[in-house]
PDB file of all heavy atoms in Angstrom:
ATOM      1  N   ALA A 217       4.133  -0.595  11.166  1.00 98.00           N
ATOM      2  CA  ALA A 217       4.456  -1.990  10.884  1.00 98.00           C
ATOM      3  C   ALA A 217       3.149  -2.758  10.705  1.00 98.00           C
ATOM      4  O   ALA A 217       2.115  -2.349  11.247  1.00 98.00           O
ATOM      5  CB  ALA A 217       5.280  -2.600  12.016  1.00 98.00           C
ATOM      6  N   PRO A 218       3.158  -3.852   9.974  1.00 98.00           N
ATOM      7  CA  PRO A 218       1.939  -4.651   9.781  1.00 98.00           C
ATOM      8  C   PRO A 218       1.646  -5.542  10.996  1.00 98.00           C
ATOM      9  O   PRO A 218       1.683  -6.773  10.917  1.00 98.00           O
ATOM     10  CB  PRO A 218       2.265  -5.473   8.537  1.00 98.00           C
ATOM     11  CG  PRO A 218       3.745  -5.641   8.575  1.00 98.00           C
ATOM     12  CD  PRO A 218       4.287  -4.352   9.153  1.00 98.00           C
ATOM     13  N   LEU A 257       3.783  -9.977  13.132  1.00 98.00           N
ATOM     14  CA  LEU A 257       3.734  -9.132  11.945  1.00 98.00           C
ATOM     15  C   LEU A 257       3.215  -9.921  10.749  1.00 98.00           C
ATOM     16  O   LEU A 257       3.585 -11.072  10.547  1.00 98.00           O
ATOM     17  CB  LEU A 257       5.125  -8.590  11.609  1.00 98.00           C
ATOM     18  CG  LEU A 257       5.858  -7.801  12.692  1.00 98.00           C
ATOM     19  CD1 LEU A 257       7.199  -7.300  12.155  1.00 98.00           C
ATOM     20  CD2 LEU A 257       5.019  -6.635  13.198  1.00 98.00           C
ATOM     21  N   ALA A 258       2.370  -9.285   9.962  1.00 98.00           N
ATOM     22  CA  ALA A 258       1.950  -9.872   8.693  1.00 98.00           C
ATOM     23  C   ALA A 258       3.114  -9.803   7.705  1.00 98.00           C
ATOM     24  O   ALA A 258       3.983  -8.937   7.801  1.00 98.00           O
ATOM     25  CB  ALA A 258       0.734  -9.131   8.141  1.00 98.00           C
ATOM     26  N   ALA A 259       3.121 -10.719   6.751  1.00 98.00           N
ATOM     27  CA  ALA A 259       4.173 -10.765   5.742  1.00 98.00           C
ATOM     28  C   ALA A 259       3.562 -11.105   4.392  1.00 98.00           C
ATOM     29  O   ALA A 259       2.421 -11.595   4.320  1.00 98.00           O
ATOM     30  CB  ALA A 259       5.231 -11.799   6.118  1.00 98.00           C
ATOM     31  N   ASP A 260       4.318 -10.872   3.325  1.00 97.00           N
ATOM     32  CA  ASP A 260       3.813 -11.251   2.009  1.00 97.00           C
ATOM     33  C   ASP A 260       4.005 -12.748   1.781  1.00 97.00           C
ATOM     34  O   ASP A 260       4.474 -13.469   2.677  1.00 97.00           O
ATOM     35  CB  ASP A 260       4.458 -10.402   0.909  1.00 97.00           C
ATOM     36  CG  ASP A 260       5.952 -10.675   0.719  1.00 97.00           C
ATOM     37  OD1 ASP A 260       6.465 -11.693   1.215  1.00 97.00           O
ATOM     38  OD2 ASP A 260       6.618  -9.852   0.060  1.00 97.00           O
ATOM     39  N   GLY A 263       7.284 -14.178   2.719  1.00 98.00           N
ATOM     40  CA  GLY A 263       7.737 -13.997   4.087  1.00 98.00           C
ATOM     41  C   GLY A 263       8.329 -12.640   4.380  1.00 98.00           C
ATOM     42  O   GLY A 263       8.760 -12.376   5.505  1.00 98.00           O
ATOM     43  N   ASN A 264       8.352 -11.737   3.407  1.00 98.00           N
ATOM     44  CA  ASN A 264       8.958 -10.419   3.604  1.00 98.00           C
ATOM     45  C   ASN A 264       8.061  -9.518   4.443  1.00 98.00           C
ATOM     46  O   ASN A 264       6.856  -9.427   4.204  1.00 98.00           O
ATOM     47  CB  ASN A 264       9.225  -9.759   2.259  1.00 98.00           C
ATOM     48  CG  ASN A 264      10.215 -10.540   1.422  1.00 98.00           C
ATOM     49  OD1 ASN A 264      11.274 -10.934   1.905  1.00 98.00           O
ATOM     50  ND2 ASN A 264       9.871 -10.793   0.167  1.00 98.00           N
ATOM     51  N   THR A 265       8.659  -8.845   5.411  1.00 98.00           N
ATOM     52  CA  THR A 265       7.921  -7.922   6.264  1.00 98.00           C
ATOM     53  C   THR A 265       8.846  -6.780   6.676  1.00 98.00           C
ATOM     54  O   THR A 265       9.998  -6.697   6.223  1.00 98.00           O
ATOM     55  CB  THR A 265       7.333  -8.655   7.484  1.00 98.00           C
ATOM     56  OG1 THR A 265       6.424  -7.780   8.175  1.00 98.00           O
ATOM     57  CG2 THR A 265       8.411  -9.133   8.430  1.00 98.00           C
ATOM     58  N   PHE A 266       8.358  -5.903   7.547  1.00 98.00           N
ATOM     59  CA  PHE A 266       9.160  -4.737   7.916  1.00 98.00           C
ATOM     60  C   PHE A 266       8.621  -4.112   9.188  1.00 98.00           C
ATOM     61  O   PHE A 266       7.510  -4.384   9.638  1.00 98.00           O
ATOM     62  CB  PHE A 266       9.154  -3.696   6.786  1.00 98.00           C
ATOM     63  CG  PHE A 266       7.847  -2.966   6.637  1.00 98.00           C
ATOM     64  CD1 PHE A 266       7.618  -1.766   7.302  1.00 98.00           C
ATOM     65  CD2 PHE A 266       6.824  -3.485   5.853  1.00 98.00           C
ATOM     66  CE1 PHE A 266       6.410  -1.096   7.183  1.00 98.00           C
ATOM     67  CE2 PHE A 266       5.614  -2.826   5.724  1.00 98.00           C
ATOM     68  CZ  PHE A 266       5.407  -1.628   6.389  1.00 98.00           C
ATOM     69  N   ALA A 267       9.421  -3.217   9.744  1.00 98.00           N
ATOM     70  CA  ALA A 267       8.987  -2.333  10.832  1.00 98.00           C
ATOM     71  C   ALA A 267       9.699  -1.015  10.648  1.00 98.00           C
ATOM     72  O   ALA A 267      10.889  -0.978  10.300  1.00 98.00           O
ATOM     73  CB  ALA A 267       9.309  -2.934  12.193  1.00 98.00           C
ATOM     74  N   LEU A 284      13.204  -1.024   8.750  1.00 98.00           N
ATOM     75  CA  LEU A 284      13.968  -2.265   8.865  1.00 98.00           C
ATOM     76  C   LEU A 284      13.197  -3.355   8.133  1.00 98.00           C
ATOM     77  O   LEU A 284      12.061  -3.671   8.497  1.00 98.00           O
ATOM     78  CB  LEU A 284      14.146  -2.640  10.344  1.00 98.00           C
ATOM     79  CG  LEU A 284      14.692  -4.035  10.639  1.00 98.00           C
ATOM     80  CD1 LEU A 284      16.134  -4.159  10.152  1.00 98.00           C
ATOM     81  CD2 LEU A 284      14.591  -4.349  12.123  1.00 98.00           C
ATOM     82  N   ARG A 285      13.808  -3.917   7.097  1.00 98.00           N
ATOM     83  CA  ARG A 285      13.164  -4.975   6.319  1.00 98.00           C
ATOM     84  C   ARG A 285      13.862  -6.308   6.572  1.00 98.00           C
ATOM     85  O   ARG A 285      15.098  -6.370   6.614  1.00 98.00           O
ATOM     86  CB  ARG A 285      13.206  -4.641   4.822  1.00 98.00           C
ATOM     87  CG  ARG A 285      12.428  -3.372   4.473  1.00 98.00           C
ATOM     88  CD  ARG A 285      12.326  -3.174   2.969  1.00 98.00           C
ATOM     89  NE  ARG A 285      11.602  -1.954   2.643  1.00 98.00           N
ATOM     90  CZ  ARG A 285      10.268  -1.870   2.592  1.00 98.00           C
ATOM     91  NH1 ARG A 285       9.527  -2.959   2.845  1.00 98.00           N
ATOM     92  NH2 ARG A 285       9.671  -0.726   2.302  1.00 98.00           N
ATOM     93  N   PHE A 286      13.068  -7.361   6.716  1.00 98.00           N
ATOM     94  CA  PHE A 286      13.613  -8.695   6.969  1.00 98.00           C
ATOM     95  C   PHE A 286      12.595  -9.725   6.524  1.00 98.00           C
ATOM     96  O   PHE A 286      11.493  -9.396   6.066  1.00 98.00           O
ATOM     97  CB  PHE A 286      13.977  -8.870   8.444  1.00 98.00           C
ATOM     98  CG  PHE A 286      12.840  -8.619   9.404  1.00 98.00           C
ATOM     99  CD1 PHE A 286      12.073  -9.666   9.902  1.00 98.00           C
ATOM    100  CD2 PHE A 286      12.528  -7.325   9.819  1.00 98.00           C
ATOM    101  CE1 PHE A 286      11.030  -9.437  10.782  1.00 98.00           C
ATOM    102  CE2 PHE A 286      11.482  -7.086  10.700  1.00 98.00           C
ATOM    103  CZ  PHE A 286      10.733  -8.143  11.176  1.00 98.00           C
ATOM    104  N   ASN A 287      12.961 -10.996   6.643  1.00 98.00           N
ATOM    105  CA  ASN A 287      12.083 -12.081   6.223  1.00 98.00           C
ATOM    106  C   ASN A 287      11.624 -12.868   7.440  1.00 98.00           C
ATOM    107  O   ASN A 287      12.434 -13.316   8.255  1.00 98.00           O
ATOM    108  CB  ASN A 287      12.804 -12.995   5.235  1.00 98.00           C
ATOM    109  CG  ASN A 287      11.851 -13.946   4.544  1.00 98.00           C
ATOM    110  OD1 ASN A 287      11.360 -14.909   5.138  1.00 98.00           O
ATOM    111  ND2 ASN A 287      11.564 -13.683   3.272  1.00 98.00           N
ATOM    112  N   LYS A 288      10.319 -13.042   7.543  1.00 98.00           N
ATOM    113  CA  LYS A 288       9.738 -13.704   8.709  1.00 98.00           C
ATOM    114  C   LYS A 288      10.078 -15.191   8.764  1.00 98.00           C
ATOM    115  O   LYS A 288      10.041 -15.804   9.832  1.00 98.00           O
ATOM    116  CB  LYS A 288       8.222 -13.503   8.700  1.00 98.00           C
ATOM    117  CG  LYS A 288       7.556 -13.741  10.037  1.00 98.00           C
ATOM    118  CD  LYS A 288       6.097 -13.346   9.994  1.00 98.00           C
ATOM    119  CE  LYS A 288       5.418 -13.673  11.327  1.00 98.00           C
ATOM    120  NZ  LYS A 288       3.984 -13.324  11.289  1.00 98.00           N
ATOM    121  N   LEU A 291      13.440 -14.808  10.465  1.00 98.00           N
ATOM    122  CA  LEU A 291      13.316 -14.166  11.776  1.00 98.00           C
ATOM    123  C   LEU A 291      11.835 -14.100  12.149  1.00 98.00           C
ATOM    124  O   LEU A 291      11.175 -13.074  11.984  1.00 98.00           O
ATOM    125  CB  LEU A 291      13.922 -12.759  11.733  1.00 98.00           C
ATOM    126  CG  LEU A 291      15.423 -12.691  11.453  1.00 98.00           C
ATOM    127  CD1 LEU A 291      15.855 -11.270  11.155  1.00 98.00           C
ATOM    128  CD2 LEU A 291      16.218 -13.261  12.618  1.00 98.00           C
ATOM    129  N   GLU A 358       1.927   0.322   2.568  1.00 98.00           N
ATOM    130  CA  GLU A 358       2.491  -1.031   2.541  1.00 98.00           C
ATOM    131  C   GLU A 358       2.069  -1.831   3.771  1.00 98.00           C
ATOM    132  O   GLU A 358       1.723  -3.006   3.672  1.00 98.00           O
ATOM    133  CB  GLU A 358       4.014  -0.952   2.455  1.00 98.00           C
ATOM    134  CG  GLU A 358       4.691  -2.299   2.273  1.00 98.00           C
ATOM    135  CD  GLU A 358       6.194  -2.182   2.121  1.00 98.00           C
ATOM    136  OE1 GLU A 358       6.718  -1.041   2.028  1.00 98.00           O
ATOM    137  OE2 GLU A 358       6.864  -3.232   2.097  1.00 98.00           O
ATOM    138  N   LEU A 362      -0.368  -5.288   3.767  1.00 98.00           N
ATOM    139  CA  LEU A 362       0.009  -6.583   4.357  1.00 98.00           C
ATOM    140  C   LEU A 362      -1.003  -7.032   5.400  1.00 98.00           C
ATOM    141  O   LEU A 362      -1.321  -8.223   5.493  1.00 98.00           O
ATOM    142  CB  LEU A 362       1.407  -6.465   4.983  1.00 98.00           C
ATOM    143  CG  LEU A 362       2.575  -6.377   4.002  1.00 98.00           C
ATOM    144  CD1 LEU A 362       3.889  -6.227   4.760  1.00 98.00           C
ATOM    145  CD2 LEU A 362       2.640  -7.604   3.092  1.00 98.00           C
TER     146      LEU A 362
END
Side-chain angles (χ1 to χ4, degrees):
L257 304 182
D260 68 15
N264 297 312
T265 190
F266 72 92
L284 169 66
R285 297 188 181 277
F286 56 96
N287 193 287
K288 199 172 177 181
L291 296 168
E358 186 177 353
L362 288 179

